[in-house]
Amino acid sequence: MKTIIIYYFSGTGNTKWAAEFLTECILQSGYRVECIAIEKTNFAMVKRQLREADQVILGFPVYGSTAPLPVLNFIENIPAIEKGVMPLAVFATHAMASGDSAYYVGSLLKDKGYDLQQTRHFVMMNNFHVPKFRFYKPDNGSKLFRKLEKAKPKIQAFADEIVREKKHIIGNRMWGHLLGNLQRRYIDRAIGMLITQFEVAEDRCSDCGLCVRICPMENILKTRDGITLGNNCAVCLRCYSQCPSEAILIGRDSANSKKYPRYKGPSYINKNND
């Protein structure tokens, strides 16, 4: 029985949902599948997992045609393949233009012995609508449900290509590279600016500590003075979207939840359908 390992990172839940549905699809073909959030593993475990794997899949949310910092750190530190090559598939979730994201990120692993075989981009609900970056408002209801349903056959097709070992690369074309290079040129500057906009509204904070527990960068600390935000933020939006009292702000105007609603992710719609 072949073993496939899916490593993924998810901020507000879109990539997590896609990784879990992809797991279901591949399991139907009789494969053994491990679906692992990258912040819940370590490289000693990864090294062991890779020895037992026949293929690796990497999933991430698009940040300006590249991956968020936890994924880039994971790629930098993932062990090289000791013998031969390891088939690799990469998928990215996005709301707007994705450029060559999956292909670009997959190519970063080439020198470590990972052979890129499949890439895909899956359109999800927008999770980012704040004062200085106004896109379309996120939806936690019927629109989200429709987007998830529309993504399912595309994820199933991706799973079928992986199982049949059919090479299918998306994003390796001139227009994709042009858009990708343009977005990657400015993404670090945009993230740096966004980090300065994060703050805690102390009058809203209930001191529950959830933001401290869910931050993948350990960038949020609970001190005698309350919740403190550091400078090692990956802008994954977990604290912003999941804070039960909406005490985490990205700009003071984001306190207006009608104008800037928080995206709750696929798990929210599942809870409300139970």
Side-chain angles (χ1 to χ4, degrees), residues 7 38-39 41-50 56 58 68-82 105 108-114 217 232:
Y7 294 112
I38 61 175
E39 73 266 28
T41 188
N42 59 61
F43 289 102
M45 294 170 60
V46 171
K47 194 169 185 178
R48 174 188 59 77
Q49 291 159 354
L50 291 174
V56 169
L58 178 64
L69 186 58
V71 178
L72 297 178
N73 289 341
F74 182 81
I75 289 172
E76 182 179 354
N77 292 289
I78 192 172
I81 300 304
E82 296 175 351
V105 169
L108 298 177
L109 286 163
K110 181 179 179 181
D111 291 341
K112 290 192 174 186
Y114 296 86
M217 304 299 292
N232 192 33

Side-chain angles (χ1 to χ4, degrees), residues 186-219:
Y186 297 104
I187 187 60
D188 288 342
R189 186 186 309 173
I191 288 176
M193 188 275 287
L194 275 167
I195 290 173
T196 67
Q197 299 295 305
F198 277 78
E199 61 178 292
V200 180
E202 295 182 4
D203 58 326
R204 289 186 172 196
C205 181
S206 64
D207 201 32
C208 69
L210 177 63
C211 57
V212 177
R213 297 193 298 273
I214 63 177
C215 178
M217 304 299 292
E218 299 181 351
N219 186 56

Side-chain angles (χ1 to χ4, degrees), residues 86-99:
M86 174 72 73
L88 172 68
V90 178
F91 72 90
T93 59
H94 67 104
M96 309 293 183
S98 57

Side-chain angles (χ1 to χ4, degrees), residues 4 48 84 105 112 125 153 168 171 179 215 271 273:
I4 293 179
R48 174 188 59 77
V105 169
K112 290 192 174 186
M125 176 56 64
H168 187 188
L179 178 59
C215 178
K271 287 177 183 177
N273 286 335

Side-chain angles (χ1 to χ4, degrees), residues 1 18 33 65 86 89 131 158 165 169 224-225 227 234 266:
M1 180 185 296
V33 185
S65 287
M86 174 72 73
F158 182 53
E165 299 180 4
I169 302 295
R224 292 181 179 178
D225 298 323
I227 298 297

Side-chain angles (χ1 to χ4, degrees), residues 48-61:
R48 174 188 59 77
Q49 291 159 354
L50 291 174
R51 290 197 190 103
E52 300 172 356
D54 296 292
Q55 178 158 1
V56 169
I57 301 172
L58 178 64
F60 63 92

Side-chain angles (χ1 to χ4, degrees), residues 9 12 58 61 66 73 109 131 137 152 185 198 218 260 268:
F9 177 78
T12 56
L58 178 64
T66 185
N73 289 341
L109 286 163
K137 290 182 180 180
K152 284 182 177 180
R185 184 180 301 175
F198 277 78
E218 299 181 351
Y260 301 104
Y268 177 84

